[in-house]
Amino acid sequence: MDSKMLYDIAREFALDAEVTNIATLGQGFINDTYVVTTLGSRYILQRKNHNIFPDVAAMMDNIWRVTTHLKAKVKAAGGDPEREVLTVIPTKEGKLYHRDGENFWAVSLYIEGSVTHDVADTPRLAYMGGCGIGRFQAMLSDFTEPLAEVIKGFHNIRWRFEQWDRALAEDRVGRKASVAEEIAWIESRRERMLAFWALVEQQVLPMRVTHNDTKLSNILFDEHDEVLCVIDLDTVMSSTSLNDFGDAIRSYTNTGAEDDEDLSRVSMNIEIFRHYAEGYLSERGASMTSSEREWLAFSALYITYEQVLRFLMDYIDGDTYYKIAYPTHNLVRARAQHKLLESMEQQYDDMKAIVKSLL
Ligand code: GN1
Ligand code: MG
């Protein structure tokens, strides 16, 4: 991206002073991210991926409403809303994003002195990650207005089965016959997963604010490795908040890689599960309903199953959604996630016992 253009875009926003520097930050798969320095502060400038997020205005509106709620909570508790909650910086015209032709841009405040971690390789990090998401959800447990659905049916397995049945019927690239065994993994658990989702549809499990990308690197820590705040709010939506727990367990506890070719390396580390659950429940346990407590451990199986389905479906579809590094990448991912799912199923009674003991 041409730097003159970036300066022009940054100047559309209500920054505190003149822009002195703009530098690229990280290499996200979805958005492009920059650090904007002014004479007085630093900001995060992001180009939002319009292919993944068709309605950027609705997405930014979700983020605004959620952060406004969080800031009030942090303030009431005597905290610092500018460090403990993401701050969206509007444009000079008061809009939450700037549109420049095909591109949509948004700015937030850079939180000075913050650090991130990529892997939950210690019990303490797992515990702290659980605290971070648990606190985020606890502060939002009384946010009951519906949020826009920025990605349709994101963790709705009924919708995923519609896509799945269509993918199998079309068999667009002729791969279906070669993955009969993997398809059977999905079909054998279909009813069990739909039964869980029915609890959401019947509101046995309440609708709440969900983050939908609860990996460890989406939590900012301070210099003492205490949780500061949860970032990357692009996918906040209304659903069951159990799935944020489930997706964190899927990513934190895997002893192998998400796309490990050596299945002997893949399993769920129950100690990491225990520590994450302990941190999570210490913050969130009190605001959970009894049905949420009962189904908490299951959400890890549900989300991991959904991930097997999504990777396998993308393989059958001819790799249209996930970026791949080699032709069978999605199939390898599906197999590795299935191995993780089996490991969770084997340890499910222990997972439930841990949750019970922590409540
Ligand atoms: C995608 O790109 P990343 O890691 O933030 C996907 C998640 C999947 C994940 C699997 C919007 O997230 O749902 O769990 O890949 N995000 C979207 O690695 O589809
Ligand atoms: Mg993300």
Side-chain angles (χ1 to χ4, degrees):
M1 176 78 20
D2 157 331
S3 90
K4 157 96 174 55
M5 264 179 69
L6 282 173
Y7 273 74
D8 287 345
I9 288 156
R11 286 193 197 102
E12 293 289 330
F13 290 85
L15 310 182
D16 64 337
E18 203 181 307
V19 177
T20 55
N21 188 52
I22 300 185
T24 304
L25 179 73
Q27 34 200 313
F29 289 155
I30 295 186
N31 300 318
D32 299 325
T33 307
Y34 304 89
V35 178
V36 175
T37 306
T38 66
L39 289 169
S41 316
R42 291 202 283 173
Y43 298 88
I44 296 289
L45 169 69
Q46 271 192 326
R47 175 164 62 178
K48 300 293 185 181
N49 187 326
H50 191 32
N51 293 326
I52 302 223
F53 303 112
D55 190 348
V56 175
M59 173 177 92
M60 293 308 298
D61 188 56
N62 279 354
I63 297 175
W64 181 262
R65 287 159 63 205
V66 165
T67 54
T68 301
H69 184 95
L70 288 170
K71 281 178 187 295
K73 286 276 154 117
V74 166
K75 210 168 167 189
D80 179 351
E82 288 210 340
R83 290 183 66 71
E84 293 170 41
V85 185
L86 186 92
T87 302
V88 175
I89 305 293
T91 66
K92 288 171 180 163
E93 293 172 355
K95 285 174 60 190
L96 299 178
Y97 63 93
H98 169 66
R99 181 169 184 173
D100 178 53
E102 291 285 282
N103 295 316
F104 290 76
W105 298 85
V107 168
S108 59
L109 209 55
Y110 184 98
I111 300 178
E112 297 297 338
S114 59
V115 291
T116 56
H117 296 282
D118 285 329
V119 231
D121 47 9
T122 64
R124 180 180 144 84
L125 274 177
Y127 177 84
M128 295 308 285
C131 290
I133 297 299
R135 194 174 311 151
F136 176 83
Q137 291 189 344
M139 288 193 288
L140 289 160
S141 61
D142 58 343
F143 185 103
T144 50
E145 312 151 38
L147 292 163
E149 192 176 31
V150 293
I151 298 177
K152 180 178 159 65
F154 198 54
H155 288 319
N156 175 341
I157 207 72
R158 200 180 296 286
W159 165 244
R160 295 296 180 191
F161 282 129
E162 271 184 45
Q163 297 178 312
W164 167 260
D165 290 339
R166 206 179 313 133
L168 290 187
E170 288 175 4
D171 190 17
R172 276 197 249 163
V173 289
R175 287 177 173 170
K176 183 174 141 184
S178 68
V179 290
E181 186 190 339
E182 288 81 359
I183 290 172
W185 297 340
I186 300 299
E187 297 301 342
S188 66
R189 295 166 173 98
R190 185 192 278 247
E191 293 312 318
R192 189 180 187 200
M193 298 300 160
L194 277 170
F196 172 79
W197 190 253
L199 300 174
V200 179
E201 292 168 328
Q202 293 155 12
Q203 293 171 43
V204 174
L205 293 170
M207 280 289 176
R208 299 188 188 273
V209 178
T210 60
H211 180 279
N212 287 310
D213 193 3
T214 48
K215 54 172 161 284
L216 182 60
S217 59
N218 277 337
I219 297 179
L220 299 184
F221 291 84
D222 71 10
E223 44 282 324
H224 312 293
D225 254 349
E226 296 291 334
V227 172
L228 265 180
C229 89
V230 176
I231 56 166
D232 189 7
L233 304 182
D234 292 356
T235 50
V236 292
M237 285 182 254
S238 304
S239 188
T240 167
S241 65
L242 296 188
N243 289 337
D244 280 350
F245 179 86
D247 204 29
I249 296 304
R250 182 185 74 81
S251 69
Y252 281 57
T253 66
N254 192 348
T255 54
E258 188 178 64
D259 59 352
D260 221 312
E261 284 182 270
D262 180 353
L263 295 182
S264 72
R265 285 197 290 243
V266 178
S267 65
M268 182 188 76
N269 179 336
I270 194 134
E271 283 313 306
I272 296 291
F273 174 86
R274 182 194 308 278
H275 286 94
Y276 185 89
E278 192 181 351
Y280 179 81
L281 290 171
S282 72
E283 293 285 347
R284 168 85 169 101
S287 58
M288 289 172 85
T289 66
S290 59
S291 53
E292 286 178 310
R293 292 172 179 175
E294 191 183 330
W295 288 95
L296 185 67
F298 187 77
S299 69
L301 279 63
Y302 179 85
I303 286 294
T304 307
Y305 171 86
E306 182 197 292
Q307 201 63 68
V308 181
L309 184 155
R310 289 172 67 195
F311 285 145
L312 187 57
M313 180 164 73
D314 202 31
Y315 181 72
I316 293 167
D317 266 341
D319 310 307
T320 59
Y321 189 89
Y322 292 107
K323 284 188 184 144
I324 53 166
Y326 53 91
T328 56
H329 203 168
N330 273 317
L331 182 57
V332 166
R333 286 168 173 150
R335 288 178 176 150
Q337 291 287 292
H338 174 256
K339 177 74 197 304
L340 179 63
L341 173 60
E342 284 185 322
S343 173
M344 289 176 174
E345 288 171 341
Q346 281 153 14
Q347 300 182 84
Y348 184 45
D349 288 340
D350 298 334
M351 292 160 77
K352 280 193 295 187
I354 288 170
V355 169
K356 211 168 170 188
S357 74
L358 292 169
L359 282 164

